[in-house]
Amino acid sequence: LSWTSSEIREQPLVLERILRENPAQAKECARQIKDRGVRYVLIAARGTSDHAAVYAKYLLGSKLRLPVALAAPSLYTFYGTPPLTGPDALVVGLSQSGASEDIIAVVRHARSQGALTLAITNEPTSELANAASLVLPCLAGPERGVAATKTYTAELACVALLCASVAQESGLFAELAALPEAMDQALQTEQAAAQVAAQYCRALLAVCLGRGYNLATAYEIALKIKELAYIHAQGYSTADFMHGPLACVEPGLPVIAVAMSGALRDDVAASLSRVGQRGGQLIIISDDEAILQSAHASLPVPKVPEWLSPITAVVPGQWLAVHLALAKGLDPDRPRALTKVTVTR
Ligand code: F6R
């Protein structure tokens, strides 16, 4: 068993740990966010963590009605023209390692400008954590696989807990509490994902689609597939896909689609049917029986509230990436050219 596979399996435990050990810190972050009268959020993140930031953009936007922007770190580190943030900004460094210089630079600059700063990181003694005034630890434990799996869902869960703490709605906490069990069920998609992998492991290209909360999931699955199976998988919003990339669909192109029930269900289903008409092979991750029936290959996940669905919906994609690697004779723990910690400036 690879480290990556065991780390995927650890995810329900990590979620339990976050829900058990993080509420006090999340509450303190929420208190400061409210005391400051935060009106907008800027998030700096790279790679997988950047996908967690995309999730945060939708979640804080919908539940807290806060505009969220993703930072452009080179404005801080190369151009020397960092956008000015004031005291009503929350600036978040979202990073598993807490080591990337560009992410640290964004947080440092924002703090010097008087913004409230928060590090969400799996390394609570990292330089990033030191640079920020608040820290929310991801509590995922050491991750040995190069590909981020449990640290990704831990980041999502920390963002979700923070959001529930600011909103202070008991319903949101109850929904969060049910998450570890749903995660357990999502893990059971391994066999189905392995079958899909056996069928598609010779593909050179793939597309991953999702929208709304699950745009992050589409991006993240695409990255896992690129990094572990060396298949050029590109993630798109289903809406953006209709604005041009649809023309690239040739018969047989594997299209991995995240189509969860909720506000976007019908819209995503309609886009997928156009992709299907162009001959795309639909590999669908969904909690909706009817949508799954329209798939060439289906990866059913448990029903959870839409705002939490990215945490469970990514799991079949993680399995798919691992099994595509195995089917190609690759070692999922050691993708070529990559190291565990990547530092960029
Ligand atoms: C992809 C992966 C990388 C990391 C990225 C994160 O599976 O593992 O994309 O997510 O290097 O950097 P930090 O440590 O800043 O989160």
Side-chain angles (χ1 to χ4, degrees):
L1 193 70
S2 64
W3 291 325
T4 309
S5 295
S6 21
E7 285 158 0
I8 291 171
R9 292 208 176 118
E10 263 178 66
Q11 292 177 110
L13 284 176
V14 174
L15 294 181
E16 266 174 28
R17 195 180 305 139
I18 291 169
L19 297 176
R20 192 175 57 239
E21 294 179 20
N22 261 357
Q25 270 111 315
K27 207 170 159 189
E28 174 57 18
C29 297
R31 188 187 66 75
Q32 295 202 28
I33 289 170
K34 286 191 216 164
D35 284 359
R36 285 281 193 120
V38 163
R39 292 181 49 191
Y40 66 100
V41 182
L42 181 68
I43 308 181
R46 289 284 181 205
T48 289
S49 300
D50 203 30
H51 305 153
V54 171
Y55 171 65
K57 176 171 168 173
Y58 285 87
L59 187 58
L60 305 186
S62 76
K63 300 275 188 233
L64 307 177
R65 310 298 282 270
L66 281 170
V68 178
L70 306 188
S74 63
L75 294 177
Y76 299 72
T77 52
F78 286 97
Y79 289 102
T81 52
L84 304 176
T85 34
D88 55 354
L90 170 68
V91 177
V92 183
L94 188 48
S95 168
Q96 293 136 23
S97 64
S100 202
E101 288 176 24
D102 39 10
I103 307 307
I104 297 165
V106 173
V107 168
R108 262 204 194 118
H109 179 265
R111 194 171 179 180
S112 75
Q113 296 273 307
L116 182 63
T117 50
L118 165 66
I120 300 179
T121 177
N122 202 36
E123 298 293 343
T125 57
S126 60
E127 207 175 327
L128 175 67
N130 286 333
S133 64
L134 293 165
V135 180
L136 199 54
C138 293
L139 305 175
E143 191 171 60
R144 299 181 72 181
V146 166
T149 53
K150 62 175 180 169
T151 50
Y152 172 65
T153 49
E155 287 176 335
L156 299 186
C158 286
V159 168
L161 178 64
L162 176 68
C163 179
S165 307
V166 178
Q168 275 181 316
E169 281 175 40
S170 58
L172 299 182
F173 287 103
E175 289 173 347
L176 267 170
L179 203 55
E181 202 186 312
M183 200 60 163
D184 245 333
Q185 289 171 40
L187 287 181
Q188 289 160 26
T189 51
E190 180 173 10
Q191 263 212 327
Q195 278 167 15
V196 174
Q199 213 179 328
Y200 292 97
C201 63
R202 275 169 298 278
L204 301 175
L205 291 173
V207 161
C208 297
L209 301 179
R211 200 177 170 190
Y213 289 123
N214 280 296
L215 175 57
T217 314
Y219 287 160
E220 175 57 11
I221 293 173
L223 177 58
K224 289 298 95 111
I225 291 176
K226 278 190 273 237
E227 145 178 70
L228 295 186
Y230 316 151
I231 293 169
H232 195 96
Q234 186 69 39
Y236 295 97
S237 120
T238 49
D240 271 328
F241 199 70
M242 297 301 123
H243 284 264
L246 179 64
C248 286
V249 177
E250 306 269 4
L253 177 75
V255 177
I256 299 142
V258 188
M260 304 298 285
S261 51
L264 282 160
R265 182 213 178 271
D266 294 348
D267 179 81
V268 170
S271 303
L272 296 187
S273 109
R274 289 187 62 194
V275 173
Q277 282 158 17
R278 305 256 335 125
Q281 294 281 303
L282 294 170
I283 301 157
I284 301 186
I285 297 170
S286 181
D287 57 356
D288 183 297
E289 207 33 61
I291 291 192
L292 287 167
Q293 271 168 17
S294 66
H296 294 93
S298 61
L299 296 168
V301 284
K303 258 199 201 325
V304 297
E306 189 188 0
W307 70 287
L308 295 174
S309 66
I311 302 177
T312 46
V314 74
V315 174
Q318 295 173 332
W319 283 134
L320 183 59
V322 165
H323 284 278
L324 283 167
L326 293 172
K328 294 178 77 167
L330 303 169
D331 178 354
D333 286 334
R334 289 185 198 80
R336 67 188 178 204
L338 301 175
T339 48
K340 181 65 189 162
V341 176
T342 303
V343 174
T344 42
R345 293 194 174 85

